[in-house]
Amino acid sequence: MSSVLVVVHTLISAVLILFVLLHSGKDAGLSGALGVGAGGGSHGGSSAIVERNLDRLTVVACVLFFVTTYLLAQYL
């Protein structure tokens, strides 16, 4: 059980790192290179929706990371 939990914890941590790097910080991060933080585009306000969904996904990944960390602490 603990080896499966370690693998899940590792995958969640990689996803969490990816989500944090995708956040737009004055177009200086990875999101600027991928166009997530583009201010004025032909899509209007779609970048705000993408940012909001990215925030939600980051929070979910963070909660899952906390839960797996707690479970690992209990098992190990």
Side-chain angles (χ1 to χ4, degrees):
M1 177 66 178
S2 64
S3 61
V4 172
L5 200 55
V6 167
V7 170
V8 170
H9 185 71
T10 304
L11 291 175
I12 290 173
S13 64
V15 168
L16 184 60
I17 290 169
L18 177 70
F19 286 161
V20 168
L21 286 176
L22 282 175
H23 279 280
S24 63
K26 299 180 183 176
D27 292 336
L30 188 60
S31 63
L34 296 177
V36 174
S42 62
H43 299 293
S46 67
S47 65
I49 294 171
V50 170
E51 283 291 328
R52 194 171 343 132
N53 289 334
L54 185 61
D55 287 342
R56 291 176 183 159
L57 288 173
T58 306
V59 168
V60 168
C62 184
V63 169
L64 289 175
F65 183 79
F66 174 76
V67 168
T68 57
T69 303
Y70 180 77
L71 290 175
L72 277 172
Q74 294 299 317
Y75 285 122
L76 299 178

